[in-house]
Amino acid sequence: DAGVIQSPRHEVTEMGQEVTLRCKPISGHNSLFWYRQTMMRGLELLIYFNNNVPIDDSGMPEDRFSAKMPNASFSTLKIQPSEPRDSAVYFCASSTTGLSIEQYFGPGTRLTVT
Amino acid sequence: AQSVAQPEDQVNVAEGNPLTVKCTYSVSGNPYLFWYVQYPNRGLQFLLKYITGDNLVKGSYGFEAEFNKSQTSFHLKKPSALVSDSALYFCAVRDGRQTGANNLFFGTGTRLTVIP
């Protein structure tokens, strides 16, 4: 049974370039979460979706960040233009709905912006 | 508001000794509590959760956690530490009064190092 799939696993780009991170949630899960992890700030929730609808994007750092979920099996996180301070590991997680339900995390995308 | 505190950034323990990673929480309603582990260059993996019932919860890899309502704590424990337990551990909480939202609130993480 495939878990959460993220691509690419590593991304190195130059400042100013557009970056797109991709996520495929576990089949049957209707909640999807995007997190960012850095040494300085730890694990931060950026945005999450229920049934493909964005519920809370208050964690998105600024307008350069955008996320979409066009269908139940795919989501993207886009940074345009990218900056060196965006360098981090970006995780996608999915779950079914319910207070007692845990989230399942993907392996992450390590983004380096030079 | 809901929050989680992991008071120790780093915990060191000798192999074979018992380990404890501390977590305290703050919620308005009943808490739903979770522990996750992150190995180097990997995503977070679910270890165990407390929903209701028995205060001692058993999870993966021999870990267990004890829910203490009066102390608002949910400490992670293992009777005998292994070198392979060295990782970053996250506590997370969800408020039972939370409606329409499915997100978890994570602590800042505790790095566990088991010394051979």
Side-chain angles (χ1 to χ4, degrees), chain A residues 75-92:
Chain A
S75 177
T76 60
L77 178 68
K78 185 176 294 186
I79 308 172
Q80 166 64 19
S82 58
E83 297 182 2
R85 59 188 168 132
D86 302 330
S87 297
V89 181
Y90 291 82
F91 290 105
C92 176

Side-chain angles (χ1 to χ4, degrees), chain A residues 9 30-31 33 35 37 39 42-43 45 48 50 55-56 89 91 95-108 110, chain B residues 32 34 36 38 40-46 49 51 88 90 94-108 111:
Chain A
R9 293 294 310 277
N30 55 354
S31 294
F33 308 82
Y35 292 88
Q37 186 178 36
M39 290 293 292
L43 190 66
L45 176 65
Y48 71 95
N50 276 358
I55 302 300
D56 184 353
V89 181
F91 290 105
S95 74
T96 56
T97 50
L99 291 173
S100 66
I101 301 300
E102 60 272 21
Q103 297 175 11
Y104 292 87
F105 282 72
R110 182 174 296 277
Chain B
Y32 294 79
F34 303 78
Y36 284 79
Q38 184 181 27
N41 301 312
R42 303 285 295 276
L44 279 68
Q45 295 179 32
F46 168 72
K49 63 183 176 183
I51 304 303
L88 188 58
F90 290 93
R94 184 181 286 135
D95 192 331
R97 292 186 180 180
Q98 197 170 308
T99 58
N102 206 31
N103 54 315
L104 285 170
F105 290 83
F106 283 87
T108 52
R111 185 165 300 281

Side-chain angles (χ1 to χ4, degrees), chain B residues 27-78:
Chain B
V27 295
S28 300
N30 290 325
Y32 294 79
L33 295 155
F34 303 78
W35 274 103
Y36 284 79
V37 60
Q38 184 181 27
Y39 298 103
N41 301 312
R42 303 285 295 276
L44 279 68
Q45 295 179 32
F46 168 72
L47 270 180
L48 52 80
K49 63 183 176 183
Y50 171 83
I51 304 303
T52 186
D54 193 347
N55 289 344
L56 186 64
V57 178
K58 294 187 183 298
S60 306
Y61 311 121
F63 283 94
E64 57 190 26
E66 186 169 12
F67 171 66
N68 187 315
K69 187 173 183 178
S70 63
Q71 297 185 6
T72 62
S73 66
F74 189 56
H75 300 334
L76 182 70
K77 300 181 180 183
K78 188 173 182 180

Side-chain angles (χ1 to χ4, degrees), chain B residues 11-21 61-63 76-87 89 112-116:
Chain B
V11 170
N12 297 327
V13 63
E15 186 177 23
N17 282 3
L19 69 87
T20 299
V21 182
Y61 311 121
F63 283 94
L76 182 70
K77 300 181 180 183
K78 188 173 182 180
S80 179
L82 301 173
V83 173
S84 58
D85 293 330
S86 298
Y89 290 81
L112 173 69
T113 300
V114 181
I115 303 165

